[in-house]
Amino acid sequence: MAVGRKAVGGKAVGQKVAGWGVSLAAGAVLVLHPAQPPAVDQTVAAPAAAVPAGAVAASVGACPASGRICTAPRRNVVLDGRTLTLDDAATGPLDVVLRTAGRLTDVTVTDHEGRGIAGTVSADGARWTSAAPLAADGRYTARLLVERSEGGRHRRHLARLRLRTPAVPAGERLTAELGPGGGTYGVGQPLTAELSHPVPATDTEARRTVERALHVSSEPRVEGSWHWVGPTTLHYRPRDYWPARATVRVRSALDGVRVTGRLHGGPSAPLTLTIGDRIEAVTDVAAHTMTVYRDGQAVRTIPVTTGKAGYRTRGGVKVVLGKEATVRMRGDSIGIARGSRDFYDLKVRWATRVTWSGEYLHAAPWSLDAQGSANVSHGCTGMSTENAAWLFRTVRRGDVVRVINGYGERMTPFGNGYGDWNLSWTEWLRGSAHGPAAAPDTEDGAGALRPAL
């Protein structure tokens, strides 16, 4: 997904002026005013009346976007290359408003490493606002082309402003551990971000800040969104499954960003993963079969048995969490008392896990007579040893397992594996701080039932 854009007005032809790359509308005249050598760390506050003839001046501020009370005063400054140090209370997006005649036609803001800062020019050309607050302890350069009507001709003036942001105060930093880790995954694998500090649902602006800083891109590109599972956990998924054989990159730009109060973001390791073939296993409970598809083509139909009355297999979409060649399964792990008729204690082969509470797709040689004709399990999907071994070799983490035409409860979205796909896209967007409405927190227990595999 693209995360930045630059507003440009009119058709442009590139020219080099005094070492700067400038976009000019065809036929326009460029008038440059020599910049004064900037004084390092100099804070400039020039009233509009003190603006030299022909110069460009602007009002600069950075108030919270949420409408909260802003205690950082706006500063009037001449845009001649001098340096403005933002106030420590300037916690919102950078906002530059022209105070002299003219219209902004091109604005470029870069940090000290040359990376562009996204922003937009207002419809009247008088204001430029960054898409997100500037990071702390940063150095930025803003280059603005201002168009004026002078003597019946349109002239463009190049203005420049250097900015500094205050250093990050000492204390805790908010970081994000990005998951699931490097490697190859199935098309249903959600991305995760585990935060080092909670961000409550009541602080919508802080959540928006976090989401803006968590960048996801993929090749090919897809539409996707973050969803707050709890105060320290976010999941990201596309609108539909990931494209097969895609490359997905995730990075955090939280470092130096003010999140809430005196809490600033810290550095977080980026993540790159790949997506394999589109593998989907569809279990038809009523037909007692599982059909496995690769890239939309059925490759095998397997006779299966699913959960009997009282132990019905969950319906809906699940995602493969892991695989265990041998796993011990005991009835007391799901509340069946020892000594009861339903109790079991078995070593099971070729087990593919789909919930943290213990639902698997596995070999069940003791139920061969029922496979394809009856549901006799305690909730797992059982099949022959040969078919279970084939499935074990075929699927990987992140592949999709869908249960249809059943009688069990629906797979929950969070807390017992990855049930993210059981939410509609509209429901998913409600869990984003940028969505149509903030969703209430679910229990922050996405890992509460997660045993070691």
Side-chain angles (χ1 to χ4, degrees):
M1 291 188 300
V3 296
R5 61 182 182 274
K6 181 175 71 174
V8 181
K11 292 185 178 180
V13 292
Q15 292 191 16
K16 288 288 186 178
V17 181
W20 296 328
V22 181
S23 297
L24 286 180
V29 178
L30 177 66
V31 180
L32 292 179
H33 294 278
Q36 299 297 323
V40 176
D41 285 331
Q42 178 184 358
T43 299
V44 182
V51 178
V56 177
S59 171
V60 181
C63 287
S66 62
R68 290 179 295 184
I69 295 176
C70 183
T71 60
R74 298 188 67 88
R75 314 294 289 273
N76 291 326
V77 57
V78 177
L79 305 182
D80 58 2
R82 284 178 277 185
T83 299
L84 173 66
T85 300
L86 295 178
D87 191 278
D88 185 59
T91 61
L94 178 67
D95 186 55
V96 180
V97 182
L98 288 180
R99 290 303 185 204
T100 49
R103 177 184 178 88
L104 294 169
T105 59
D106 194 0
V107 178
T108 303
V109 181
T110 55
D111 65 13
H112 66 283
E113 294 183 354
R115 295 173 297 196
I117 305 301
T120 55
V121 176
S122 62
D124 61 5
R127 178 188 300 264
W128 181 89
T129 306
S130 65
L134 301 182
D137 200 19
R139 303 189 307 278
Y140 302 88
T141 300
R143 297 177 177 86
L144 308 93
L145 278 179
V146 180
E147 184 180 89
R148 290 173 174 171
S149 179
E150 299 176 356
R153 301 183 65 183
H154 291 293
R155 297 176 180 267
R156 288 193 173 184
H157 299 255
L158 177 63
R160 188 171 64 161
L161 174 67
R162 289 190 174 96
L163 294 157
R164 287 184 180 271
T165 51
V168 178
E172 296 279 351
R173 305 285 289 275
L174 177 70
T175 59
E177 182 180 353
L178 304 174
T184 301
Y185 296 84
V187 298
Q189 179 65 50
L191 306 175
T192 61
E194 296 290 341
L195 305 180
S196 60
H197 291 73
V199 180
T202 52
D203 196 339
T204 304
E205 187 58 34
R207 288 196 165 191
R208 287 175 179 162
T209 298
V210 170
E211 282 190 54
R212 279 194 298 259
L214 298 177
H215 300 296
V216 179
S217 63
S218 67
E219 301 171 8
R221 296 173 62 179
V222 296
E223 179 185 5
S225 173
W226 290 101
H227 182 109
W228 288 82
V229 176
T232 60
T233 304
L234 296 90
H235 285 191
Y236 183 100
R237 51 156 270 208
R239 182 170 190 158
D240 301 305
Y241 299 139
W242 295 105
R245 295 168 288 281
T247 299
V248 181
R249 295 181 175 87
V250 196
R251 65 179 179 88
S252 168
L254 279 169
D255 197 12
V257 172
R258 184 194 296 265
V259 178
T260 176
R262 293 181 60 83
L263 180 64
H264 286 70
S268 303
L271 170 67
T272 299
L273 61 139
T274 56
I275 305 299
D277 296 343
R278 177 170 175 152
I279 302 293
E280 186 174 10
V282 180
T283 300
D284 188 328
V285 173
H288 310 290
T289 59
M290 171 188 287
T291 302
V292 180
Y293 298 85
R294 183 190 300 274
D295 294 332
Q297 299 296 315
V299 292
R300 183 177 288 207
T301 297
I302 299 170
V304 297
T305 182
T306 61
K308 61 185 177 181
Y311 302 94
R312 297 297 189 187
T313 302
R314 297 172 184 84
V317 183
K318 306 159 195 177
V319 172
V320 172
L321 302 174
K323 300 187 294 184
E324 300 166 75
T326 303
V327 62
R328 184 180 179 186
M329 296 185 179
R330 299 194 312 270
D332 50 7
S333 67
I334 60 171
I336 301 175
R338 288 179 178 271
S340 71
R341 184 177 61 181
D342 279 329
F343 182 80
Y344 56 90
D345 188 344
L346 300 167
K347 286 188 177 180
V348 176
R349 299 298 311 280
W350 311 121
T352 297
R353 188 174 199 136
V354 292
T355 73
W356 297 122
S357 60
E359 183 181 328
Y360 290 85
L361 290 66
H362 62 77
W366 54 86
S367 64
L368 282 175
D369 290 344
Q371 292 167 20
S373 59
N375 294 317
V376 298
S377 82
H378 291 88
C380 291
T381 300
M383 63 199 75
S384 70
T385 301
E386 177 190 357
N387 283 326
W390 175 87
L391 184 69
F392 190 91
R393 294 191 302 267
T394 300
V395 300
R396 59 166 52 95
R397 287 178 62 187
D399 282 336
V400 175
V401 175
R402 189 156 54 97
V403 178
I404 63 174
N405 299 328
Y407 320 101
E409 296 180 358
R410 193 165 185 81
M411 174 72 174
T412 56
F414 311 110
N416 194 19
Y418 294 126
D420 306 51
W421 302 100
N422 294 293
L423 295 179
S424 69
W425 184 238
T426 299
E427 292 170 327
W428 185 263
L429 291 178
R430 291 195 187 106
S432 166
H434 297 285
D441 277 341
T442 56
E443 288 297 319
D444 191 16
L449 296 174
R450 185 178 306 180
L453 288 179

